[in-house]
Amino acid sequence: MNNSPSTGRHAVRLFLSRLWPHPLAVSKKHILFASLGAGSGLILTSLLSHWLLGELNLWFVAPVGASAVLLFGVPASPLAQRGPS
């Protein structure tokens, strides 16, 4: 059995490479539409909250941004689907 350090590093590298997701083929058109949809959704909700609450709400960006990614970026994912009624 070979216990050289390079063999251990190779095994760790191989293990970690298997955890990396495979790239998906997405057209530039879909990337552009997802970016425009998410950006316009964030701008609209930010302006609406500023108009209703009267100040800039930075705490609002993270949850709305995550929802925008699910809604516009990956609408077919299980997390973006409606829950059981």
Side-chain angles (χ1 to χ4, degrees):
M1 184 163 165
N2 189 359
N3 287 333
S4 69
S6 64
T7 305
R9 277 190 235 140
H10 178 69
V12 170
R13 218 175 253 239
L14 181 64
F15 173 74
L16 292 176
S17 70
R18 290 182 180 164
L19 296 176
W20 196 262
H22 296 289
L24 299 174
V26 179
S27 69
K28 292 186 188 262
K29 178 181 164 184
H30 286 119
I31 292 172
L32 178 68
F33 284 151
S35 301
L36 289 175
S40 62
L42 282 170
I43 289 171
L44 182 67
T45 53
S46 176
L47 289 173
L48 186 65
S49 73
H50 181 69
W51 179 66
L52 289 174
L53 301 175
E55 61 184 38
L56 182 64
N57 295 308
L58 294 179
W59 57 267
F60 199 60
V61 174
V64 172
S67 298
V69 167
L70 288 175
L71 183 64
F72 297 106
V74 282
S77 75
L79 290 175
Q81 302 304 312
R82 214 178 122 205
S85 307

Short mmCIF file of all heavy atoms in Angstrom, two decimals, residues 66-67 69-71 74-83:
data_model
loop_
_atom_site.label_atom_id
_atom_site.label_comp_id
_atom_site.label_asym_id
_atom_site.label_seq_id
_atom_site.Cartn_x
_atom_site.Cartn_y
_atom_site.Cartn_z
N ALA A 66 -33.51 36.27 -2.36
CA ALA A 66 -33.58 34.81 -2.42
C ALA A 66 -34.86 34.35 -3.12
O ALA A 66 -34.83 33.41 -3.93
CB ALA A 66 -33.51 34.23 -1.00
N SER A 67 -35.96 35.01 -2.84
CA SER A 67 -37.21 34.67 -3.50
C SER A 67 -37.14 34.98 -4.99
O SER A 67 -37.68 34.25 -5.82
CB SER A 67 -38.37 35.44 -2.87
OG SER A 67 -38.50 35.07 -1.53
N VAL A 69 -34.49 34.90 -6.89
CA VAL A 69 -33.68 33.85 -7.53
C VAL A 69 -34.53 32.61 -7.78
O VAL A 69 -34.49 32.02 -8.86
CB VAL A 69 -32.43 33.51 -6.69
CG1 VAL A 69 -31.78 32.24 -7.17
CG2 VAL A 69 -31.44 34.66 -6.73
N LEU A 70 -35.32 32.22 -6.78
CA LEU A 70 -36.18 31.04 -6.96
C LEU A 70 -37.26 31.29 -8.01
O LEU A 70 -37.58 30.41 -8.81
CB LEU A 70 -36.82 30.64 -5.64
CG LEU A 70 -35.90 30.01 -4.62
CD1 LEU A 70 -36.65 29.78 -3.32
CD2 LEU A 70 -35.33 28.71 -5.14
N LEU A 71 -37.82 32.48 -8.02
CA LEU A 71 -38.92 32.78 -8.92
C LEU A 71 -38.47 32.95 -10.36
O LEU A 71 -39.06 32.41 -11.29
CB LEU A 71 -39.65 34.03 -8.45
CG LEU A 71 -40.87 34.47 -9.23
CD1 LEU A 71 -41.95 33.40 -9.13
CD2 LEU A 71 -41.39 35.79 -8.72
N VAL A 74 -34.59 29.91 -11.16
CA VAL A 74 -34.83 28.47 -11.24
C VAL A 74 -36.29 28.16 -10.91
O VAL A 74 -36.59 27.56 -9.89
CB VAL A 74 -33.88 27.69 -10.30
CG1 VAL A 74 -32.50 27.56 -10.87
CG2 VAL A 74 -33.82 28.31 -8.92
N PRO A 75 -37.22 28.56 -11.79
CA PRO A 75 -38.64 28.37 -11.48
C PRO A 75 -39.08 26.91 -11.47
O PRO A 75 -40.11 26.59 -10.89
CB PRO A 75 -39.36 29.15 -12.58
CG PRO A 75 -38.39 29.19 -13.70
CD PRO A 75 -37.02 29.22 -13.06
N ALA A 76 -38.31 26.01 -12.06
CA ALA A 76 -38.71 24.60 -12.10
C ALA A 76 -38.15 23.80 -10.92
O ALA A 76 -38.41 22.61 -10.81
CB ALA A 76 -38.25 23.96 -13.41
N SER A 77 -37.39 24.44 -10.04
CA SER A 77 -36.80 23.71 -8.91
C SER A 77 -37.88 23.35 -7.89
O SER A 77 -38.92 24.02 -7.81
CB SER A 77 -35.72 24.56 -8.25
OG SER A 77 -36.31 25.57 -7.48
N PRO A 78 -37.65 22.33 -7.09
CA PRO A 78 -38.65 21.94 -6.09
C PRO A 78 -38.93 23.03 -5.06
O PRO A 78 -40.04 23.16 -4.57
CB PRO A 78 -38.03 20.71 -5.42
CG PRO A 78 -37.06 20.18 -6.40
CD PRO A 78 -36.57 21.35 -7.17
N LEU A 79 -37.91 23.85 -4.72
CA LEU A 79 -38.13 24.91 -3.73
C LEU A 79 -38.99 26.04 -4.28
O LEU A 79 -39.60 26.79 -3.51
CB LEU A 79 -36.78 25.47 -3.27
CG LEU A 79 -35.94 24.55 -2.41
CD1 LEU A 79 -34.59 25.17 -2.13
CD2 LEU A 79 -36.65 24.24 -1.13
N ALA A 80 -39.06 26.20 -5.58
CA ALA A 80 -39.84 27.28 -6.18
C ALA A 80 -41.30 26.86 -6.42
O ALA A 80 -42.10 27.69 -6.84
CB ALA A 80 -39.21 27.71 -7.50
N GLN A 81 -41.63 25.62 -6.14
CA GLN A 81 -42.99 25.14 -6.39
C GLN A 81 -43.88 25.44 -5.18
O GLN A 81 -43.42 25.61 -4.07
CB GLN A 81 -42.99 23.64 -6.67
CG GLN A 81 -42.13 23.24 -7.85
CD GLN A 81 -42.53 23.96 -9.11
OE1 GLN A 81 -43.70 24.03 -9.44
NE2 GLN A 81 -41.56 24.52 -9.83
N ARG A 82 -45.16 25.46 -5.45
CA ARG A 82 -46.14 25.69 -4.40
C ARG A 82 -46.19 24.50 -3.44
O ARG A 82 -46.07 23.36 -3.86
CB ARG A 82 -47.51 25.85 -5.05
CG ARG A 82 -48.37 26.81 -4.34
CD ARG A 82 -49.67 26.96 -5.07
NE ARG A 82 -50.67 26.59 -4.10
CZ ARG A 82 -51.85 26.13 -4.38
NH1 ARG A 82 -52.18 25.93 -5.60
NH2 ARG A 82 -52.68 25.86 -3.42
N GLY A 83 -46.36 24.77 -2.19
CA GLY A 83 -46.43 23.70 -1.19
C GLY A 83 -47.78 22.99 -1.22
O GLY A 83 -48.71 23.41 -1.91
#
